[in-house]
């Protein structure tokens, strides 16, 4: 689909899907480049959080929900704006739906492209960081890097709380980042992949507790 086809002359919406508000970090840049495209945003608040669920639960739940949403909204395209759902269920969703489906997966390739130390951190949910999909991205795009991973349910909760106006406590954000940087070799990480769509919503808070010069990609 060209940018023109996606952005104009098509009344069908783009359907964004996440477990919560994280997908808004994906909607924002799409809105900026396609301001007139109709958007439907669906958050599975009954299933939230995904990051502490099993692979089986996600693989069954996400295609079923999206099937119903596609029937209801007839979107031109579905964006799974969730790394957990994408790394576990993208293939199942594509097999089940008759519309194009775009996933959101950890930005290991862009991280490897800019890392100087060749040590990359992947900060995602507990479910995402253990996925073979992530092993595969690391093997294909960061074979000459050490890729350290940390799963954080607390950061997801803190991101959701920002919607209620709660500022993320710096010590708690710092403790979660330490889960990555405190691992053996973690002091050499120069690029962190925000491998959960909730985490860019904590971008300022993460940058404030990160060592000088550390870069974040999503
Ligand atoms: N926003 C989601 C992700 O990108 C998951 C958050 C959650 O529900 O645990 O992985």
């Amino acid at each position: 689909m060209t940018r023109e086809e996606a952005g104009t002359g098509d009344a069908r919406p783009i359907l964004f899907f996440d477990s919560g508000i994280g997908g808004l970090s994906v909607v924002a840049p799409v809105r900026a480049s396609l301001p007139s495209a109709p958007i439907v945003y669906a958050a599975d608040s009954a299933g939230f959080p995904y990051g502490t669920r099993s692979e089986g639960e996600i693989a069954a739940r996400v295609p079923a929900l999206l099937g119903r949403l596609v029937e209801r909204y007839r979107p031109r395209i579905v964006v799974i704006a969730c790394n957990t759902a994408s790394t576990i269920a993208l293939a199942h969703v594509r097999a089940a739906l008759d519309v194009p489906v775009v996933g959101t997966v950890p930005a290991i390739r862009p991280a490897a492209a800019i890392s100087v130390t060749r040590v990359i951190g992947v900060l995602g949910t507990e479910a995402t960081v253990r996925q073979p999909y992530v092993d595969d991205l690391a093997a294909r795009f960061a074979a000459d890097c050490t890729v350290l991973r940390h799963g954080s349910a607390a950061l997801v909760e803190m991101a959701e709380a920002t919607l209620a106006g709660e500022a993320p406590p710096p010590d708690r954000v710092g403790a979660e980042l330490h889960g990555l940087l405190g691992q053996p070799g973690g002091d050499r990480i120069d690029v962190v992949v925000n491998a959960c769509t909730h985490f860019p919503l904590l971008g300022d808070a993460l940058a404030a507790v990160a060592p000088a010069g550390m870069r974040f990609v999503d």
Side-chain angles (χ1 to χ4, degrees):
M1 173 181 308
T2 67
R3 186 185 157 112
E4 287 68 31
E5 282 163 349
T8 58
D10 191 338
R12 294 173 304 162
I14 302 172
L15 173 62
F16 289 84
F17 177 82
D18 183 33
S19 59
I21 64 163
L24 295 175
S25 69
V26 182
V27 170
V30 173
R31 273 216 102 96
S33 57
L34 300 171
S36 61
I39 283 172
V40 171
Y41 187 87
D44 179 12
S45 43
F48 174 87
Y50 279 5
T52 50
R53 286 185 179 273
S54 71
E55 282 74 359
E57 284 175 292
I58 304 281
R61 187 175 183 90
V62 173
L65 277 175
L66 281 170
R68 287 180 4 227
L69 288 164
V70 164
E71 230 169 74
R72 177 158 175 194
Y73 293 105
R74 303 276 166 207
R76 68 183 84 167
I77 191 166
V78 171
V79 180
I80 305 179
C82 174
N83 289 261
T84 311
S86 299
T87 55
I88 294 172
L90 184 56
H92 304 279
V93 174
R94 284 186 170 145
L97 299 185
D98 204 14
V99 289
V101 181
V102 176
T104 308
V105 299
I108 289 173
R109 186 180 194 170
I114 60 171
S115 172
V116 175
T117 62
R118 310 313 285 159
V119 185
I120 293 168
V122 175
L123 197 56
T125 65
E126 288 142 295
T128 294
V129 298
R130 65 172 181 252
Q131 291 314 307
Y133 200 117
V134 178
D135 300 339
D136 184 56
L137 289 174
R140 284 168 63 201
F141 301 119
D144 66 332
C145 295
T146 300
V147 180
L148 301 174
R149 311 176 192 188
H150 178 62
S152 171
L155 286 174
V156 174
E157 292 291 349
M158 283 184 250
E160 290 280 325
T162 61
L163 198 64
E166 284 175 40
D171 56 328
R172 289 190 64 211
V173 176
E176 293 307 313
L177 191 58
H178 183 74
L180 195 55
L181 308 188
Q183 294 178 27
D187 56 334
R188 298 192 61 237
I189 293 173
D190 63 345
V191 185
V192 172
V193 178
N194 274 330
C196 170
T197 54
H198 279 73
F199 299 169
L201 303 173
L202 297 172
D204 291 344
L206 282 163
V209 297
M214 178 164 280
R215 296 164 82 177
F216 290 84
V217 298
D218 56 71

